[in-house]
Every structure is written in C-alpha cells, then in structure tokens.
Amino acid sequence: MERYKEWAEAQLGKARAKMAWVSEKNRHRIPYTTDGNGDYDDRADESREWSLDDGLNWWTNGFWGGIMWLLYQDTKDPKYMEIARFSERKLEKCFQDFYGLHHDVGFMFQPTAVADWRLTGDRDARRTAMHAANLLAGRFNPAGRFIRAWNEVGDSDTRGWAIIDCLFNISLLYWASEESGDPRFRQIAMLHADTVMEHFIRPDGSVFHIVEFDPESGKMVRSHGGQGFGEGSSWTRGQGWALYGFANSYAHTGKQEYLDTARKVAAYCVPHIPESGIIPVDFRQPEDVKWEDSCGACVIAGGLLELAKFLPEAGREALTEPAFRILKAIADTRADWTGDCDAIVQGCSAAYHADRHHFTMVYADYYFLEALYKLAGADIHMW
Ligand code: GLY
C-alpha cells in the first residue's frame, strides 16, 4: 500500500499546484466544463439565459465547492473556504426557484453545505443542508418506496422514474438524521436503497440506470437505458454510482446487505476494467465504438477505495489495484497538468447517445482528487 500512497501524494502535489491558480482564476464562477480555450464556463452567470435546470440549478454545481473543501481540508488555506462559501451562498438562491431542483440536491448541497458544516460548524450551512434534505425527502414515493429522480424529461412521464445515481444523493438524508436525531430521513434513504437492491441490481452484478415504477401502485413497469448504450446495457458511471453508493449506505447504516451488494457490483466491474485502465462509456457498448468516460472511471475508482475500507486487509488489494490502475491511466494519459486548461481530467462523456464526447466535467476533477486523497490515506468524509 505504501507505493500507492507515495504515487498518490506525487499526483496531489501536481494537483495542488494547478488548483492554486485555477481556483484564483475562477473565484467567482461555478464551473461545469471548459470551452475551446480551456477556460471554465460559469453556471451562475446571471447575464445569460438558462433553462430551469441548466443555470444555477444545474445538478453538478456542488462539485466546484466540493473541490474547494477538499483543498481546504488538505491545505488549510482560507482562500479555498472563501471560494467554497461564495458558491454555497449563490446556490442557496435555488430554493427560491424550486422548479429546477430535483433529486440531485444531494450532489449540490452535500459537497457544499454539509462539507462546510462538518469542517467549520457554520450554522448557515447546516440550515441550507437541512432545507435540501427536506426537499429530497419530499420526493419519496411511498407506494413504490423510491425517491423520484428528475422532473420533466422531454415528453416522458417521469413521475415514476428512479435512477441509480440517486444512491449518492441519499447520503444527504443519512446526514440529516445523524444531525437532527430524527430517523425519518434515514428511513426514507434505506427504503430507497432497498428498492434499488431489489429492482436495479441484476444477477450478474451489473445495474440498470433508470427503473420506471407506476407512480400510483408503485409496481415496477420497466427499465430504460438512460445515459448508457441501451436497455439492458451497463453504463459505466452508473455502475460506479451503485458500487460507491452502496458502500456509503453501508457506512451510514451498517446494514450487511448493502455491503454485500457493493461487493457484488464490484465483482462485476473489476473484471471489466481494461488492462489500460481506460473506461468506456458503457461496459456493453459495441466493440468498435471507442467512446470513453474518465469521469465514470474516477467514480468507480473512488467506489473501489471506499469499499476496500470495509474489507479485511487480505481483500483490500483486489480492489485497490484496479482503482490504482484507473487513476494512473487518468494521471498519465487523460490529465492536463499544464496552464492550458482549467480542468485536470479530460475525456469525459455525459451520456452514450449525447452529441458530444470527450470533454471536461467538473465532477470528474472532484472524483479524481477525492480518490487521490483516499489513496494517499487522507480521512475524507464527504458522503
Ligand atoms: N448523475 C448524472 C450523471 O452521472 O451524469
């Protein structure tokens, strides 16, 4: 394990150097991706026209603050706290909009407000996080025992849609119960996780992205391919959300089935990770398609490292080695350590069928840095 640590520490040295100027340059932005010049955009830019969930309500808007809190925890440089707070205060305005918000309030407010509260004890941050947790809990469908995912998606009736990504959002509910002593949030999170175990995890350990339930009766209707190649395929980032998400649920509840499910998903993922460490958008995409997703790769690596924490020493290497292989592939071949681009991780894909592939996404940088910190042995408690 020492060689992994040393290697991770060396990468973190490069990341600290790069983020020192990237953070300064983007102090007043909430970035999602970079443009052709390598400059970050700004999802909080009020001079632009955004649709309901594209601007300030955009689901990845918590990750910039999350990166800042990771760096603050590491360096104790108050600059990172100031920048994180700046984005957190802007995000609070989303509550007034309301309509653009959906289950991703977890991704938005866990790495910002919850991280702030945990690291600094700021009461405003706690209040913000509690608001978000209540919004998430309010999306629970008692008949189907799932948390509704998005709001409108084109012409689809999404009232009964649940998606695998939400396993990450429910950490906000675990936090809210731990913080308030009120078990309702945790109960909702566990009912949702139980439904995911029953309906999303296939016998071979691969997972569906979207499962549709009848919103009135709660009965399962069908699955959808979602951001993956198609129905029955295996969207890689979704496998990562499942693996890491069940490890998180186990960490918060100690429920053995969650640990077993995380291991089952890991047992499916690990043999599918190519020797090169470069991850496709979907483990079941056609062989001649070369689209990759560095972001999904980082989520899987983080999930493997999180899960390894709960295994006996003898079982850890089997998960740590593939996580290392992925992170090394990113660091050596998909990372921009120069001053030419604000983002570090390149080669991300939001969805298999999207028009655009192989670009930068701020949450890839978040999960890359978080995984490096984990590999270096830092005590990261974000989710
Ligand atoms: N949560 C949506 C995604 O992973 O793209």
Side-chain angles (χ1 to χ4, degrees):
M1 297 288 170
E2 271 317 301
R3 78 184 170 101
Y4 296 140
K5 267 192 182 176
E6 244 172 64
W7 177 85
E9 198 40 64
Q11 307 316 305
L12 284 170
K14 292 190 275 182
R16 283 182 202 107
K18 175 151 182 168
M19 291 313 297
W21 66 262
V22 171
S23 58
E24 206 55 64
K25 178 177 164 189
N26 296 285
R27 204 175 237 278
H28 297 118
R29 294 178 182 206
I30 305 185
Y32 167 54
T33 188
T34 47
D35 63 18
N37 297 321
D39 296 322
Y40 263 140
D41 62 355
D42 179 16
R43 292 274 159 163
D45 180 354
E46 282 165 322
S47 68
R48 275 186 64 180
E49 284 271 324
W50 299 98
S51 62
L52 259 189
D53 55 6
D54 252 7
L56 201 55
N57 292 344
W58 179 237
W59 76 275
T60 69
N61 283 352
F63 289 104
W64 173 248
I67 292 171
M68 297 301 119
W69 285 120
L70 287 177
L71 290 164
Y72 175 73
Q73 182 173 358
D74 172 17
T75 64
K76 303 291 177 292
D77 185 337
K79 161 178 102 162
Y80 293 120
M81 178 168 69
E82 286 160 23
I83 301 172
R85 284 257 171 84
F86 183 83
S87 71
E88 191 183 315
R89 298 287 177 260
K90 283 207 164 189
L91 284 185
E92 281 174 31
K93 289 194 200 146
C94 294
F95 296 135
Q96 289 159 20
D97 285 355
F98 179 75
Y99 288 109
L101 292 174
H102 47 69
H103 74 136
D104 282 332
V105 288
F107 280 123
M108 293 170 76
F109 292 98
Q110 183 93 8
T112 51
V114 175
D116 188 353
W117 166 246
R118 281 182 175 147
L119 290 170
T120 74
D122 183 82
R123 305 287 309 173
D124 288 340
R126 184 182 190 272
R127 174 178 46 78
T128 300
M130 279 294 176
H131 269 306
N134 275 282
L135 284 180
L136 184 57
R139 301 185 70 82
F140 184 66
N141 179 311
R145 308 201 313 173
F146 65 88
I147 292 172
R148 180 182 174 180
W150 303 299
N151 301 326
E152 290 75 32
V153 178
D155 293 333
S156 305
D157 177 359
T158 57
R159 292 172 302 157
W161 282 20
I163 70 172
I164 196 68
D165 327 25
C166 190
L167 264 191
F168 244 79
N169 289 318
I170 61 174
S171 286
L172 181 63
L173 299 178
Y174 292 128
W175 170 82
S177 273
E178 287 151 10
E179 192 53 42
S180 66
D182 184 335
R184 290 172 305 141
F185 302 99
R186 185 191 67 245
Q187 287 162 351
I188 289 174
M190 291 179 77
L191 287 169
H192 177 82
D194 292 348
T195 299
V196 172
M197 271 197 304
E198 186 181 343
H199 292 291
F200 282 68
I201 312 296
R202 304 185 189 115
D204 67 356
S206 67
V207 303
F208 293 118
H209 181 200
I210 300 172
V211 173
E212 178 178 346
F213 300 88
D214 181 313
E216 294 289 353
S217 71
K219 298 253 180 321
M220 179 178 166
V221 177
R222 55 168 294 203
S223 66
H224 298 261
Q227 284 161 255
F229 171 62
E231 204 172 342
S233 75
S234 174
W235 176 47
T236 47
R237 200 158 64 251
Q239 316 307 294
W241 296 138
L243 154 61
Y244 199 162
F246 275 113
N248 288 336
S249 274
Y250 175 70
H252 286 283
T253 65
K255 184 165 168 167
Q256 183 64 35
E257 287 99 316
Y258 296 156
L259 183 64
D260 296 343
T261 306
R263 293 183 77 165
K264 184 172 174 174
V265 179
Y268 165 80
C269 284
V270 169
H272 283 81
I273 298 170
E275 215 27 62
S276 67
I278 300 299
I279 302 288
V281 179
D282 193 306
F283 281 133
R284 294 182 183 151
Q285 70 191 32
E287 269 179 32
D288 58 334
V289 173
K290 300 298 173 210
W291 286 329
E292 39 183 88
D293 180 22
S294 304
C295 181
C298 294
V299 175
I300 291 175
L304 291 171
L305 294 174
E306 186 64 20
L307 178 57
K309 286 197 328 210
F310 303 114
L311 302 189
E313 178 101 39
R316 284 187 210 146
E317 172 66 14
L319 300 182
T320 308
E321 186 285 325
F324 168 71
R325 194 166 3 119
I326 289 172
L327 295 172
K328 184 157 171 31
I330 301 281
D332 290 352
T333 69
R334 299 293 185 273
D336 183 306
W337 299 112
T338 73
D340 296 341
C341 182
D342 290 356
I344 296 174
V345 180
Q346 314 286 309
C348 306
S349 298
Y352 183 91
H353 292 289
D355 296 336
R356 190 175 175 208
H357 294 88
H358 303 169
F359 58 106
T360 66
M361 304 197 302
V362 69
Y363 58 122
D365 278 28
Y366 172 84
Y367 283 102
F368 181 54
L369 293 177
E370 190 202 69
L372 289 177
Y373 279 117
K374 282 175 194 264
L375 199 58
D379 184 20
I380 302 294
H381 181 38
M382 188 66 89
W383 305 102

mmCIF file of all heavy atoms in Angstrom, residues 59 103-104 107 150 163 165 209 227 235 237 241 350 361 363, ligand 1:
data_model
loop_
_atom_site.group_PDB
_atom_site.id
_atom_site.type_symbol
_atom_site.label_atom_id
_atom_site.label_comp_id
_atom_site.label_asym_id
_atom_site.label_seq_id
_atom_site.Cartn_x
_atom_site.Cartn_y
_atom_site.Cartn_z
ATOM 1 N N TRP A 59 -27.226 20.395 -11.926
ATOM 2 C CA TRP A 59 -27.010 19.393 -10.889
ATOM 3 C C TRP A 59 -25.556 19.243 -10.445
ATOM 4 O O TRP A 59 -25.291 18.766 -9.346
ATOM 5 C CB TRP A 59 -27.562 18.038 -11.351
ATOM 6 C CG TRP A 59 -26.702 17.318 -12.354
ATOM 7 C CD1 TRP A 59 -26.697 17.484 -13.700
ATOM 8 C CD2 TRP A 59 -25.711 16.323 -12.080
ATOM 9 N NE1 TRP A 59 -25.765 16.659 -14.280
ATOM 10 C CE2 TRP A 59 -25.149 15.935 -13.308
ATOM 11 C CE3 TRP A 59 -25.247 15.722 -10.903
ATOM 12 C CZ2 TRP A 59 -24.135 14.979 -13.403
ATOM 13 C CZ3 TRP A 59 -24.241 14.762 -10.999
ATOM 14 C CH2 TRP A 59 -23.704 14.398 -12.242
ATOM 15 N N HIS A 103 -33.858 15.376 -7.522
ATOM 16 C CA HIS A 103 -33.155 14.527 -6.546
ATOM 17 C C HIS A 103 -31.683 14.886 -6.403
ATOM 18 O O HIS A 103 -31.040 14.504 -5.418
ATOM 19 C CB HIS A 103 -33.309 13.045 -6.936
ATOM 20 C CG HIS A 103 -32.469 12.652 -8.115
ATOM 21 N ND1 HIS A 103 -31.730 11.490 -8.152
ATOM 22 C CD2 HIS A 103 -32.227 13.280 -9.291
ATOM 23 C CE1 HIS A 103 -31.082 11.412 -9.297
ATOM 24 N NE2 HIS A 103 -31.365 12.479 -10.008
ATOM 25 N N ASP A 104 -31.130 15.617 -7.371
ATOM 26 C CA ASP A 104 -29.699 15.940 -7.308
ATOM 27 C C ASP A 104 -29.366 17.045 -6.306
ATOM 28 O O ASP A 104 -28.215 17.494 -6.251
ATOM 29 C CB ASP A 104 -29.177 16.306 -8.704
ATOM 30 C CG ASP A 104 -28.947 15.057 -9.549
ATOM 31 O OD1 ASP A 104 -28.670 13.991 -8.965
ATOM 32 O OD2 ASP A 104 -29.042 15.143 -10.789
ATOM 33 N N PHE A 107 -26.263 15.936 -4.612
ATOM 34 C CA PHE A 107 -24.990 16.267 -5.259
ATOM 35 C C PHE A 107 -24.677 17.764 -5.114
ATOM 36 O O PHE A 107 -23.522 18.158 -5.117
ATOM 37 C CB PHE A 107 -25.039 15.941 -6.747
ATOM 38 C CG PHE A 107 -24.818 14.480 -7.077
ATOM 39 C CD1 PHE A 107 -25.770 13.771 -7.805
ATOM 40 C CD2 PHE A 107 -23.660 13.831 -6.716
ATOM 41 C CE1 PHE A 107 -25.571 12.436 -8.142
ATOM 42 C CE2 PHE A 107 -23.443 12.498 -7.047
ATOM 43 C CZ PHE A 107 -24.401 11.801 -7.766
ATOM 44 N N TRP A 150 -35.794 12.791 -11.729
ATOM 45 C CA TRP A 150 -35.881 14.128 -12.308
ATOM 46 C C TRP A 150 -37.323 14.633 -12.342
ATOM 47 O O TRP A 150 -38.258 13.902 -12.042
ATOM 48 C CB TRP A 150 -35.333 14.104 -13.739
ATOM 49 C CG TRP A 150 -33.926 13.607 -13.845
ATOM 50 C CD1 TRP A 150 -32.821 14.167 -13.266
ATOM 51 C CD2 TRP A 150 -33.459 12.456 -14.577
ATOM 52 N NE1 TRP A 150 -31.700 13.431 -13.606
ATOM 53 C CE2 TRP A 150 -32.059 12.397 -14.400
ATOM 54 C CE3 TRP A 150 -34.086 11.487 -15.369
ATOM 55 C CZ2 TRP A 150 -31.282 11.394 -14.984
ATOM 56 C CZ3 TRP A 150 -33.304 10.489 -15.944
ATOM 57 C CH2 TRP A 150 -31.930 10.457 -15.755
ATOM 58 N N ILE A 163 -33.502 6.550 -10.459
ATOM 59 C CA ILE A 163 -32.254 6.287 -11.178
ATOM 60 C C ILE A 163 -31.136 5.931 -10.198
ATOM 61 O O ILE A 163 -31.166 6.318 -9.033
ATOM 62 C CB ILE A 163 -31.841 7.470 -12.098
ATOM 63 C CG1 ILE A 163 -31.391 8.694 -11.309
ATOM 64 C CG2 ILE A 163 -32.984 7.835 -13.042
ATOM 65 C CD1 ILE A 163 -30.805 9.798 -12.208
ATOM 66 N N ASP A 165 -28.114 6.879 -9.882
ATOM 67 C CA ASP A 165 -27.305 7.992 -9.362
ATOM 68 C C ASP A 165 -27.780 8.458 -7.989
ATOM 69 O O ASP A 165 -27.006 8.976 -7.184
ATOM 70 C CB ASP A 165 -27.358 9.198 -10.309
ATOM 71 C CG ASP A 165 -27.485 8.832 -11.775
ATOM 72 O OD1 ASP A 165 -28.002 7.741 -12.067
ATOM 73 O OD2 ASP A 165 -27.095 9.640 -12.620
ATOM 74 N N HIS A 209 -29.734 1.761 -15.311
ATOM 75 C CA HIS A 209 -29.642 3.175 -14.990
ATOM 76 C C HIS A 209 -30.988 3.683 -14.467
ATOM 77 O O HIS A 209 -31.079 4.194 -13.374
ATOM 78 C CB HIS A 209 -29.197 4.010 -16.198
ATOM 79 C CG HIS A 209 -29.084 5.470 -15.865
ATOM 80 N ND1 HIS A 209 -29.105 6.465 -16.791
ATOM 81 C CD2 HIS A 209 -28.990 6.092 -14.662
ATOM 82 C CE1 HIS A 209 -29.006 7.647 -16.176
ATOM 83 N NE2 HIS A 209 -28.925 7.444 -14.893
ATOM 84 N N GLN A 227 -28.495 6.939 -19.696
ATOM 85 C CA GLN A 227 -27.273 7.532 -20.253
ATOM 86 C C GLN A 227 -26.326 6.483 -20.823
ATOM 87 O O GLN A 227 -25.253 6.800 -21.323
ATOM 88 C CB GLN A 227 -26.584 8.389 -19.185
ATOM 89 C CG GLN A 227 -27.298 9.724 -18.976
ATOM 90 C CD GLN A 227 -26.974 10.409 -17.652
ATOM 91 O OE1 GLN A 227 -27.793 10.407 -16.740
ATOM 92 N NE2 GLN A 227 -25.797 10.993 -17.547
ATOM 93 N N TRP A 235 -24.070 1.091 -18.252
ATOM 94 C CA TRP A 235 -23.479 2.437 -18.251
ATOM 95 C C TRP A 235 -22.427 2.496 -17.136
ATOM 96 O O TRP A 235 -22.759 2.274 -15.970
ATOM 97 C CB TRP A 235 -24.588 3.463 -18.011
ATOM 98 C CG TRP A 235 -24.161 4.873 -17.892
ATOM 99 C CD1 TRP A 235 -23.308 5.550 -18.708
ATOM 100 C CD2 TRP A 235 -24.594 5.810 -16.898
ATOM 101 N NE1 TRP A 235 -23.181 6.847 -18.290
ATOM 102 C CE2 TRP A 235 -23.954 7.039 -17.181
ATOM 103 C CE3 TRP A 235 -25.458 5.735 -15.794
ATOM 104 C CZ2 TRP A 235 -24.145 8.178 -16.400
ATOM 105 C CZ3 TRP A 235 -25.653 6.857 -15.025
ATOM 106 C CH2 TRP A 235 -25.012 8.065 -15.326
ATOM 107 N N ARG A 237 -20.620 4.794 -15.551
ATOM 108 C CA ARG A 237 -20.719 5.687 -14.396
ATOM 109 C C ARG A 237 -21.824 5.215 -13.457
ATOM 110 O O ARG A 237 -21.711 5.339 -12.237
ATOM 111 C CB ARG A 237 -20.925 7.135 -14.836
ATOM 112 C CG ARG A 237 -20.561 8.114 -13.744
ATOM 113 C CD ARG A 237 -20.236 9.513 -14.222
ATOM 114 N NE ARG A 237 -21.336 10.193 -14.846
ATOM 115 C CZ ARG A 237 -21.446 10.478 -16.150
ATOM 116 N NH1 ARG A 237 -20.473 10.139 -16.988
ATOM 117 N NH2 ARG A 237 -22.484 11.112 -16.643
ATOM 118 N N TRP A 241 -21.832 4.630 -9.526
ATOM 119 C CA TRP A 241 -22.766 5.183 -8.529
ATOM 120 C C TRP A 241 -23.280 4.064 -7.625
ATOM 121 O O TRP A 241 -23.482 4.256 -6.425
ATOM 122 C CB TRP A 241 -23.947 5.890 -9.194
ATOM 123 C CG TRP A 241 -23.672 7.120 -10.026
ATOM 124 C CD1 TRP A 241 -24.236 7.419 -11.237
ATOM 125 C CD2 TRP A 241 -22.832 8.250 -9.707
ATOM 126 N NE1 TRP A 241 -23.784 8.651 -11.680
ATOM 127 C CE2 TRP A 241 -22.931 9.178 -10.768
ATOM 128 C CE3 TRP A 241 -21.996 8.559 -8.633
ATOM 129 C CZ2 TRP A 241 -22.224 10.391 -10.785
ATOM 130 C CZ3 TRP A 241 -21.296 9.762 -8.647
ATOM 131 C CH2 TRP A 241 -21.415 10.657 -9.715
ATOM 132 N N ALA A 350 -20.875 12.621 -20.923
ATOM 133 C CA ALA A 350 -22.045 12.683 -20.038
ATOM 134 C C ALA A 350 -22.967 11.500 -20.306
ATOM 135 O O ALA A 350 -23.544 10.937 -19.382
ATOM 136 C CB ALA A 350 -22.787 13.997 -20.228
ATOM 137 N N MET A 361 -15.523 17.695 -17.333
ATOM 138 C CA MET A 361 -16.711 17.860 -16.485
ATOM 139 C C MET A 361 -16.185 18.038 -15.065
ATOM 140 O O MET A 361 -15.366 17.237 -14.602
ATOM 141 C CB MET A 361 -17.612 16.612 -16.550
ATOM 142 C CG MET A 361 -18.045 16.249 -17.968
ATOM 143 S SD MET A 361 -19.460 15.104 -18.118
ATOM 144 C CE MET A 361 -18.916 13.662 -17.224
ATOM 145 N N TYR A 363 -17.162 17.416 -12.203
ATOM 146 C CA TYR A 363 -17.246 16.342 -11.203
ATOM 147 C C TYR A 363 -16.224 15.243 -11.453
ATOM 148 O O TYR A 363 -15.917 14.467 -10.540
ATOM 149 C CB TYR A 363 -18.663 15.815 -11.017
ATOM 150 C CG TYR A 363 -19.425 15.246 -12.189
ATOM 151 C CD1 TYR A 363 -19.912 13.935 -12.131
ATOM 152 C CD2 TYR A 363 -19.741 15.991 -13.297
ATOM 153 C CE1 TYR A 363 -20.669 13.394 -13.157
ATOM 154 C CE2 TYR A 363 -20.501 15.459 -14.336
ATOM 155 C CZ TYR A 363 -20.954 14.169 -14.260
ATOM 156 O OH TYR A 363 -21.714 13.630 -15.283
HETATM 157 N N1 GLY B 1 -25.973 11.990 -12.315
HETATM 158 C C1 GLY B 1 -25.895 12.079 -13.709
HETATM 159 C C2 GLY B 1 -24.616 11.669 -14.276
HETATM 160 O O1 GLY B 1 -23.860 10.938 -13.698
HETATM 161 O O2 GLY B 1 -24.349 12.084 -15.377
#
